[in-house]
Amino acid sequence: MGFVEIAIYAVILRTYFYFEKTGRTNSFGRFPYLKTLTERLTEEALEGWEKGEGIQGARYWKLIKSIGDGDVDPVVHTAFDLCLAATYVPEFAVYLNYYTGNTATIQLAFELEGQFCPPHEELADRLHRLQKICRIDRKKHPLAYASMEADDRLLAYLFVEESVGSGKVQPTVFGNGEWFLCEEAIHPMFVHQELADECAAWLGERMPRTVLQIAGSGGRCFLAKHIARLLKQNLFLLSAEKCSGFFSDDAEEQMDGLIRELFWSGGILCLYGLRAELFTEWQVTEKDFGKKVVKRLLDAGISILLCTEGHFIFHDGGLIGKRVELMPLTRVERQQVFEGFASLYGISIDCMRYSVRYRLSAGEIARAVELWRQEGSGTEQDFMRISAQLLSGGSGKALGNLSYPTVNFGNLQVPGEVQEVLEQICCNAMHGYRIFEEWGLGQQYSYGRAVTVMLSGPPGTGKTMTAHVIAGELGLPLYQVDLSRVMDKYIGETEKHLEEIFSFAEKTNVVLLFDEADALFGKRGEVTEGKDRYANMEVAYILQRIEQFEGIVILSTNFYHNIDKAFLRRMKYVLQYRMPDETLRRRLWESSLPEKQCREELDIDYLAAQFEFTGGMIKNVILSACVKAIYEKSQLSMEHLLQAIRAEYEKMEWPVSDEIWGEYEYLIM
């Protein structure tokens, strides 16, 4: 007969004697099997039990002390034995139900110990201890009569030599969480290793009842895993999104399930993704969350790593022991992470260049590099595409259109002085970090580091094309904002949409294009109506957000003088496009026309001198003429071009006279 069986038979016999005292005589008469079990309790067996030898004895007393916070609480001890007996010997559960109307309860444990049931708080404290190993039906009132049922893993721990109680984790876990086992492989921390060491040392001195809050952005769960690894503790990661059950009708059952999971698996909890909006969804306060979730876990002897979103600070009423905040990686730190992965995987990349172009967190770099390696192409173009696609699932993407331009300066026909400025813009985007890092101007420019460009001029002069060329030269995606989706009649929604756009642009490192920018960046006016005040607030918000932004922002407008002067002050580069002169028009015609084998001899000098078109109009004319030639199954000719030019004149409502055709009048008459 094993150690645990003796404990079970002993509590059954104690219960029998208690029933005899309280007038329920000969209670084993209806349950002869229980009488047979208790008759096995010889003096020799009881003497061996008191020594507590063997694996079962060691585990039994370890459990008793763990649920008693290091001490042996007689009532908790007896309640534990009752739960164990009712689970191991089903006939005993029937026996209890027959004579008490219930199974194992804390009330019966008090009675067996000859004590009166204490006030609610003391009673609840003992039940909190027992909940680590027992399922407690808290819907039963009064609470003293809540039925207790031992967790299935209790028997496995006590009776199976190698079981989950020895440190292994059950394959099915509470709430669809995720286990990180401390012996699992995980790549090194290329940044913040000293922070992980500091937090692990602090937590190790205060376990098992403390909370470490990790705020900020990027790498919080990864930091939590490294802390757990240093502590040699398994880590259970649970999203705060899945915690609504802690405030539902079965909240106690949900919480008990989590506590039992963590108790049996010997782990600490990482609760991640906590943000202020969740409290509104749950219709609770931060104080409620602290009391019903954080404090309950601490009372159960569970340490918590609480990962909060962004700059949200959980106001805890003294529950948080330590708070650290992860700031976005600096350019130098990003380079360290790229260098770490390049060394780890044996890949050759320009780590400095990548650190400038891809403003990713350490975790995002890890995922992008892994996908990049799996595809096996190894080109930077693929890394750009993968990093953008990896991060483009946010709501910001729905407010614009993402493209990957392949054009460059060779495709853009602009005056020489304009091209020189555009080359400086690209140089700023690629090497501007050196001004702040190597030249030591970082402190003087703690904000306002964005590469901001204003393009103004008549329609068709190449403003949108210029934005594509800048993105193409830099090898970055172009994100063209759709103002129809951004601007909202409801107060505050426009600002919300803009924040989503800027956040998306910061993460994916796209070139941000606001086309027709005067609709959004127009001048602030005098407040005469309520709507004027909110319109001015939108402009003020954008001004502030551009100051915080560190990427590339391009604004294009046909109405330069309608742009608010405060925006112009924040534009580092302002390019005013004008109608092209004859020389530039010739270059535009030559670069836009199809190959010579697809056309007859064309008089490009005549076309450039005779028609004062913008680049956009020239493209429209050539495309329309090519369609006409394809339709007629012939090569492109002057006649096709002149017909398309007349259509363009009519579209623009310009007068069409015989004089405009000059020497080619005969082709159009």
Side-chain angles (χ1 to χ4, degrees), residues 15 18-19 82 96 103 105-113:
T15 306
Y18 173 72
F19 285 172
L82 287 170
L96 291 177
T103 56
T105 64
I106 193 76
Q107 174 68 36
L108 180 57
F110 275 110
E111 292 173 1
L112 290 179
E113 289 298 323

Side-chain angles (χ1 to χ4, degrees), residues 448-506:
R449 296 188 182 186
V451 179
T452 48
V453 183
M454 169 69 75
L455 306 175
S456 70
T461 50
K463 300 185 296 299
T464 303
M465 178 67 172
T466 298
H468 281 75
V469 166
I470 291 173
E473 279 288 329
L474 294 172
L476 298 176
L478 179 71
Y479 184 77
Q480 187 166 352
V481 177
D482 187 342
L483 294 180
S484 67
R485 302 182 208 171
V486 173
M487 301 180 72
D488 199 295
K489 64 181 179 179
Y490 294 105
I491 296 170
E493 287 299 306
T494 300
E495 290 91 332
K496 179 181 176 182
H497 292 162
L498 287 167
E499 177 59 33
E500 292 171 358
I501 289 169
F502 278 104
S503 297
F504 172 77
E506 285 172 336

Side-chain angles (χ1 to χ4, degrees), residues 284-321:
V284 299
T285 63
E286 291 182 40
K287 186 176 180 180
D288 292 331
F289 180 81
K291 180 180 178 182
K292 296 181 179 180
V293 179
V294 179
K295 190 174 185 305
R296 280 286 308 280
L297 292 166
L298 292 176
D299 289 343
I302 296 168
S303 291
I304 307 168
L305 300 177
L306 190 64
C307 298
T308 55
E309 293 285 339
H311 299 291
F312 169 65
I313 300 298
F314 173 59
H315 298 288
D316 53 319
L319 295 174
I320 303 296

Side-chain angles (χ1 to χ4, degrees), residues 622-646:
I622 291 174
L623 180 59
S624 179
C626 287
V627 171
K628 181 73 171 173
I630 289 286
Y631 177 74
E632 295 179 356
K633 299 180 181 179
S634 64
Q635 290 186 320
L636 180 66
S637 66
M638 284 293 293
E639 184 176 358
H640 295 136
L641 288 172
L642 294 176
Q643 290 174 352
I645 288 170
R646 181 168 62 183

Side-chain angles (χ1 to χ4, degrees), residues 4-20:
V4 177
E5 289 177 304
I6 295 173
I8 289 170
Y9 302 157
V11 79
I12 293 174
L13 188 59
R14 286 181 64 196
T15 306
Y16 170 79
F17 288 142
Y18 173 72
F19 285 172
E20 287 287 316

Side-chain angles (χ1 to χ4, degrees), residues 601-603 606-607 638 642 661-669:
E601 190 64 32
L602 303 176
D603 191 345
Y606 161 82
L607 294 170
M638 284 293 293
L642 294 176
W661 309 114
E663 61 189 277
Y664 290 97
E665 180 181 356
Y666 70 96
L667 291 177
I668 200 69
M669 297 304 294

Side-chain angles (χ1 to χ4, degrees), residues 338 341 347 349 353-355 357-361 364-373 375 377-390 404 475 477 508:
F338 275 114
F341 280 111
I347 54 179
I349 57 175
R353 176 182 172 87
Y354 276 43
S355 70
R357 301 182 70 168
Y358 306 104
R359 288 186 288 275
L360 307 173
S361 69
E364 290 158 353
I365 292 173
R367 292 195 296 275
V369 169
E370 185 61 33
L371 289 171
W372 189 51
R373 287 177 63 241
E375 291 196 2
S377 58
T379 65
E380 185 176 352
Q381 186 73 15
D382 284 330
F383 188 87
M384 174 193 73
R385 174 182 52 79
I386 288 168
S387 63
Q389 290 176 349
L390 187 67
Y404 301 87
T508 54

